[in-house]
Amino acid sequence: IAVYDIGTSDRLSPDEADPMFVTGKLAGATVHSASWGNGVNTYQSRDKDYDKFQYENPDFLVVFAAGNDGAGNTKNSVSAVAKNNLNVCATRNKGQGQGELYAAYFSSMGPSSDGRIKPDICAPGHAISSADNGSARQCGTVGMSGTSMACPG
């Protein structure tokens, strides 16, 4: 596993594919999981940069959380719409309401603004047991929801 820091507690500043993906690849990573986005549903220069890197490095996959802007079944709310990214929406968890076969109420939905099918895949992301800061150097757990819990799928 390779970790790449993109910000501070109050601001995220993701890099271009080089150095971000290159650093991970040099550390032996073949998958980059990104649980941040900008809420923009259009193909942008960063998407083009990420597509180019993945095209030139077919053994490397970028996985993006779709975003949490889908409340009220809001269409065209998915972000990080690069063509080569695997974009992940969140479903409910098994045993919750209609279960894992249905998108979570908050999960961003497609299509992309240019009509492509996004998200590409869905995974449980509602009421997920996640790591939490514990006391006395003990790791606790906490229930969390979001497409970041579903990513990388």
Side-chain angles (χ1 to χ4, degrees):
I1 188 168
V3 178
Y4 191 88
D5 188 359
I6 65 164
T8 63
S9 62
D10 62 339
R11 183 167 184 248
L12 296 179
S13 301
D15 283 325
E16 301 298 318
D18 183 3
M20 187 164 50
F21 302 153
V22 171
T23 300
K25 190 167 179 168
L26 289 173
T30 57
V31 176
H32 176 92
S33 178
S35 289
W36 50 267
N38 60 7
V40 178
N41 182 263
T42 58
Y43 192 79
Q44 303 169 66
S45 62
R46 178 167 284 142
D47 296 312
K48 184 176 180 180
D49 180 47
Y50 293 178
D51 276 342
K52 182 177 183 275
F53 183 85
Q54 290 175 91
Y55 179 79
E56 292 172 351
N57 297 273
D59 60 336
F60 194 87
L61 176 65
V62 178
V63 184
F64 256 96
N68 302 316
D69 297 320
N73 204 24
T74 304
K75 303 297 182 210
N76 302 97
S77 56
V78 65
S79 64
V81 295
K83 296 170 184 172
N84 295 324
N85 287 351
L86 182 66
N87 195 285
V88 184
C89 76
T91 65
R92 293 190 170 272
N93 212 341
K94 190 169 185 164
Q96 294 179 323
Q98 296 173 315
E100 71 277 12
L101 300 179
Y102 293 86
Y105 67 92
F106 55 81
S107 187
S108 291
M109 305 303 271
S112 64
S113 65
D114 60 3
R116 288 177 291 115
I117 296 173
K118 291 287 181 181
D120 302 294
I121 190 171
C122 294
H126 186 262
I128 301 297
S129 183
S130 184
D132 190 24
N133 290 333
S135 59
R137 299 181 62 129
Q138 298 296 315
C139 181
T141 60
V142 63
M144 302 282 291
S145 294
T147 56
S148 295
M149 297 291 107
C151 187

